[in-house]
Amino acid sequence: MTETDSLLTMDEILPAVCGAHVLGSGPFSFTSVRTDSRLVEKGSLFVPLAGEKQDGHAFIPQAAERGASAVFIRMKNFEEDSGFFVEIFKKHPSVHFIAVENTLAALQQAAGRYVEQFPRLIKIAVTGSSGKTTVKEMLASILSRRYSVISNKGNLNSETGLPLSVFEIRKEHECGIFEMGMNREHEIAEIAAVFKPRFAVITNIGTAHIGCLGSREAIAREKANVFNHFHGFGTAVIPYDDDFADFLREQAEGKTVLYGKDSETVQYKEDLGLHGTRLSIGGIETVLALPGKHNYRNALAAIALAQVLGLSAEEISQGLQSLVPLSGRGEVIEGAYTVVQDCYNANPDSMEKSVSFFSSLEVPEGAKKILVLGDMLELGADSVRQHEEAGLAAARARADMIIFIGTEMKAAFSAAKDACAKKMIFIEGNSDEAMRKAALEIRDFSPEHRKTAVLLKGSRGMGLERITGMLLGEDR
């Protein structure tokens, strides 16, 4: 590994992060970036982050042992305990130590400098309260028909996930599609400054993260920061019927495109239930395999941007038809029951959409419809009210039984049982035993029937997918 192989040279990285090279000798080079010492490999730049419970600086020795070639360190840590770093350097003299004011900020600044090496890259950002990952995957599937595409894996879309993701860009990539999420104020502004997108899709302005931002107005202002680097040359793709559509259009300094309804080139044809939606794109009949009207709407966002970029109806159709549901995101698994796994993430907006879709679903005579709703995590002070509203929505849904599972879902159960008389159960916690109890309740209520539909909806931390294996007799 030589300095010419490095993602950034020393001369590039030091001014970018306002850093000081305090320890290290010999050639400087790094070919990957890691914030988890367990993932460090030979040639990694290790960036230790300070969290609420632990400081990543404690893991620098392990990172050096695993082959890190460079490390960001907080200047204050170096000044207070330089001996700690000197001892590591003595054991690993080829490791370069760069002192910075703040390691997270330095990670973002270095990533921003790295992105500047790709001026021809078509840079697309996707943000919104729900549907971000789905739209990103749709766009990646469509645009890969014409371009070499790079996108963030899973939902690595945060203050750390986004900069780590852009370090995966390589010279062969022609198009970068990166989703941007947030858990606090100013986060979108920070990560937009890293990537500086030229195109941005907003899926919706909902109530996800209202606990940390306080209002939908504040969420809209934060999401609009994705447009900060348009400077008159960007394109914003905005849902036409969102409450904040006009506000978002005002914030986008550039071209705006509205989506969310049929047009001359795109027409809704038929709801195929669990098998998705039939639509027409430029006269070409297309099947979107992801079920639900909300996913059709997500497709309209992806189609709108693809058309802006000049892709043909045939390319767009092929891209949508080749899309495979991501694990846990509207994934339909058929066996002794038909299970809809929509438990990769959950917030009030996505919960409402999933319950609404499931309510509209038709099942054959003799089959049942069973809702299993798990906690929506990270809602803050608004959690009780939001879970109560989810419970009321579930009570109104066309379902034969509802299982509320978790801790926060107790509020949903209390609201729902007072609103209707259908069979409802509350199960405390998210242990394996709690999941087993839910599976047994489903089996008791509806003995195995391949057409009985079970929706699993809850936050990732609930692990509701364990119920699928229990129901289908598989170790998943």
Side-chain angles (χ1 to χ4, degrees):
M1 183 172 63
T2 66
E3 193 160 0
T4 56
D5 298 322
S6 186
L7 297 181
L8 291 170
T9 67
M10 184 70 81
D11 288 342
E12 290 169 334
I13 204 167
L14 286 181
V17 303
C18 300
H21 183 207
V22 293
L23 292 168
S25 60
F28 172 82
S29 180
F30 68 97
T31 54
S32 64
V33 183
R34 301 286 184 259
T35 56
D36 186 336
S37 61
R38 295 167 297 183
L39 301 179
V40 167
E41 58 204 354
K42 186 177 181 181
S44 290
L45 164 64
F46 177 57
V47 183
L49 302 176
E52 293 181 5
K53 297 181 180 179
Q54 60 186 13
D55 186 342
H57 286 76
F59 300 97
I60 293 176
Q62 291 93 318
E65 287 286 346
R66 293 183 66 88
S69 59
V71 180
F72 283 165
I73 57 175
R74 189 166 170 250
M75 180 63 80
K76 185 176 180 180
N77 291 55
F78 183 70
E79 291 172 342
E80 292 178 349
D81 190 8
S82 60
F84 171 74
F85 301 101
V86 170
E87 286 302 312
I88 300 171
F89 172 65
K90 286 179 179 179
K91 293 179 181 178
H92 306 278
S94 63
V95 180
H96 292 264
F97 290 79
I98 297 173
V100 297
E101 184 70 23
N102 179 291
T103 54
L104 173 59
L107 170 65
Q108 295 172 346
Q109 290 157 352
R113 178 64 184 85
Y114 180 70
V115 172
E116 290 175 7
Q117 297 183 142
F118 306 95
R120 293 181 177 275
L121 187 74
I122 299 170
K123 296 187 292 184
I124 301 168
V126 182
T127 192
S129 295
S130 59
K132 295 183 293 296
T133 303
T134 300
V135 172
K136 177 200 70 180
E137 293 296 328
M138 288 176 171
L139 280 169
S141 184
I142 293 169
L143 297 182
S144 63
R145 301 288 140 182
R146 181 175 295 190
Y147 302 108
S148 172
V149 171
I150 175 76
S151 63
N152 35 4
K153 297 173 183 176
N155 64 339
L156 285 172
N157 60 17
S158 65
E159 59 187 2
T160 56
L162 188 281
L164 289 173
S165 294
V166 301
F167 272 115
E168 300 295 324
I169 300 170
R170 297 293 182 265
K171 60 183 178 181
E172 66 267 21
H173 293 130
E174 301 168 298
C175 177
I177 309 167
F178 292 88
E179 69 174 271
M180 297 184 178
M182 66 177 187
N183 287 300
R184 59 173 176 81
E185 191 176 10
H186 306 310
E187 189 167 2
I188 294 293
E190 286 180 16
I191 58 182
V194 170
F195 188 52
K196 297 182 176 63
R198 171 79 184 278
F199 302 90
V201 179
I202 291 189
T203 59
N204 64 334
I205 302 299
T207 54
H209 307 305
I210 201 167
C212 56
L213 290 178
S215 68
R216 288 182 67 223
E217 288 77 10
I219 292 170
R221 286 194 298 273
E222 181 63 27
K223 294 295 186 183
N225 286 327
V226 75
F227 309 139
N228 283 357
H229 301 275
F230 277 11
H231 305 308
F233 296 100
T235 299
V237 181
I238 297 167
Y240 86 99
D241 58 350
D242 193 281
D243 298 352
F244 293 91
D246 290 340
F247 169 79
L248 294 171
R249 293 179 72 181
E250 291 169 3
Q251 302 305 305
E253 187 183 345
K255 179 181 178 181
T256 58
V257 175
L258 299 180
Y259 75 89
K261 57 184 177 181
D262 287 357
S263 64
E264 290 182 5
T265 56
V266 183
Q267 288 92 35
Y268 171 89
K269 292 295 184 181
E270 182 184 6
D271 182 357
L272 302 176
L274 290 174
H275 300 292
T277 302
R278 190 186 309 280
L279 65 152
S280 172
I281 304 171
I284 300 173
E285 289 279 319
T286 306
V287 174
L288 172 69
L290 277 62
K293 290 182 179 179
H294 57 292
N295 279 319
Y296 172 66
R297 184 181 176 84
N298 289 334
L300 292 179
I303 292 168
L305 181 53
Q307 290 175 331
V308 167
L309 292 171
L311 271 78
S312 67
E314 185 175 4
E315 288 171 321
I316 296 171
S317 176
Q318 289 174 350
L320 284 181
Q321 292 204 122
S322 66
L323 188 69
V324 177
L326 293 173
S327 177
R329 294 182 183 272
E331 182 184 19
V332 179
I333 303 171
E334 296 183 290
Y337 298 87
T338 297
V339 180
V340 183
Q341 281 194 162
D342 197 5
C343 48
Y344 190 87
N345 200 5
N347 57 54
D349 306 295
S350 65
M351 181 70 73
E352 186 276 327
K353 289 180 173 67
S354 289
V355 170
S356 176
F357 152 68
F358 196 70
S359 181
S360 68
L361 190 65
E362 299 293 337
V363 295
E365 186 176 348
K368 305 287 187 183
K369 290 168 63 177
I370 300 170
L371 274 171
V372 182
L373 305 183
D375 288 354
M376 298 178 285
L377 304 177
E378 300 178 2
L379 294 185
D382 213 33
S383 183
V384 171
R385 183 182 67 82
Q386 295 284 10
H387 280 85
E388 287 174 343
E389 290 188 3
L392 292 173
R396 293 190 295 268
R398 291 170 55 237
D400 300 292
M401 180 172 75
I402 308 171
I403 297 176
F404 299 94
I405 187 167
T407 301
E408 302 294 323
M409 272 295 164
K410 188 170 186 178
F413 171 71
S414 297
K417 68 182 176 62
D418 294 333
C420 74
K422 67 182 66 172
K423 184 174 177 60
M424 296 184 194
I425 296 165
F426 172 67
I427 300 172
E428 180 76 33
N430 68 338
S431 64
D432 286 347
E433 185 56 37
M435 301 301 150
R436 191 170 294 109
K437 185 175 180 181
L440 289 173
E441 291 286 357
I442 293 169
R443 287 185 178 279
D444 288 344
F445 181 74
S446 177
E448 291 187 6
H449 191 306
R450 293 185 63 85
K451 297 301 182 182
T452 284
V454 181
L455 172 68
L456 306 179
K457 181 64 181 178
S459 284
R460 181 71 191 91
M462 290 298 295
L464 295 183
E465 67 276 3
R466 287 172 287 173
I467 296 172
T468 303
M470 296 170 184
L471 284 178
L472 304 187
E474 301 171 17
D475 183 15
R476 290 181 176 272

